[in-house]
Amino acid sequence: EVQLQASGGGLVQAGGSLRLSCQASGFAFDDYAIGWFRQAPGKEREGVSYISLSDGDTDYADSVKGRFTISSDNAKNTVYLQMSSLKPEDTAVYYCAAAVEGDYNPWNEGDMDYWGKGTQVTVSS
């Protein structure tokens, strides 16, 4: 059974940090890319960052560049999203998703093969 388990969300003051984790199981981890998406109240879900688990390639949305860092521990089948200098506008439910490497757009949630349940991140001003 494929599972993606996101965790690490919480309440933090503006300027603070959080580290999200995405624990994967049930598929060949190294053959996939993992993306983080978020959905704020009243807004559409948007891509935040992704990492290719085969070659380590990463990318970030402009809104989080320089503040968020994505990384993976392939031995633990886990992807992390280190979030620093958090802003109130980062408040959202954060989801991790997996897409098989190949012809996919990591920013298109329709191209993701598996999704985890979200974890709430709330940044107070």
Side-chain angles (χ1 to χ4, degrees), residues 31-74:
D31 292 341
Y32 281 75
I34 298 289
W36 284 99
F37 294 77
R38 67 185 182 186
Q39 187 166 23
K43 294 187 177 182
E44 293 187 352
R45 191 154 55 185
E46 62 176 357
V48 175
S49 180
Y50 78 89
I51 184 168
S52 165
L53 299 173
S54 61
D55 63 16
D57 185 38
T58 62
D59 202 4
Y60 301 89
D62 288 342
S63 58
V64 307
K65 277 182 181 176
R67 300 189 298 121
F68 290 11
T69 302
I70 192 169
S71 62
S72 69
D73 184 337
N74 288 31

Side-chain angles (χ1 to χ4, degrees), residues 35-37 45-50 97-99 103-115:
W36 284 99
F37 294 77
R45 191 154 55 185
E46 62 176 357
V48 175
S49 180
Y50 78 89
D103 186 16
Y104 74 101
N105 178 349
W107 301 110
N108 180 6
E109 59 181 272
D111 284 357
M112 300 295 111
D113 297 296
Y114 306 113
W115 288 86

Side-chain angles (χ1 to χ4, degrees), residues 8-12 16-20 81-84 86 121-122:
L11 173 63
V12 64
S17 299
L18 281 174
R19 188 178 78 159
L20 305 184
L81 186 67
Q82 178 67 47
M83 306 186 297
S84 303
L86 283 162
V121 171
T122 303

